[in-house]
Amino acid sequence: MNMHTAAPARPGIFAPARPGPRPVVIGFENVTKVFRPRDSDATVTALDDVSLTVSEGEILGIIGRSGAGKSTLVRVINGLEKPTSGRVVVDGIAL
């Protein structure tokens, strides 16, 4: 037995159950999120015209410097923050 031979993935777990494109489960279309601090007239743009898709079965890592908007991106995905502009769709539902 060859130690480098892997068993084929079972459909639906590590490989798509059907061929072809996988459905999009997270979609951002031109999403911008601007915060206005309470004690200032200035604004902070946390997300600026972000467009991305995550398909079923994909694994996505979010990396970046402190203050780059990583937490804001996740908060918009899970509905804790509403985008200032743009469209967010999660599992077919527009947030």
Side-chain angles (χ1 to χ4, degrees):
M1 177 185 213
N2 185 344
M3 297 297 284
H4 298 287
T5 303
R10 295 188 333 214
I13 295 179
F14 297 108
R18 59 196 177 282
R22 294 182 246 173
V24 172
V25 292
I26 299 172
F28 271 44
E29 294 176 7
N30 307 105
V31 173
T32 297
K33 177 62 182 175
V34 177
F35 292 99
R36 184 177 306 277
R38 291 184 188 135
D39 58 348
S40 173
D41 289 334
T43 60
V44 175
T45 303
L47 302 175
D48 188 12
D49 197 30
V50 175
S51 294
L52 66 89
T53 58
V54 180
S55 296
E56 181 180 281
E58 284 186 313
I59 297 172
L60 175 72
I62 303 170
I63 61 171
R65 295 181 180 173
S66 177
K70 300 177 300 292
S71 295
T72 301
L73 181 77
V74 172
R75 291 175 64 84
V76 169
I77 290 170
N78 65 25
L80 293 175
E81 294 286 347
K82 301 215 181 301
T84 305
S85 64
R87 183 170 176 235
V88 179
V89 177
V90 176
D91 206 18
I93 301 169
L95 302 182

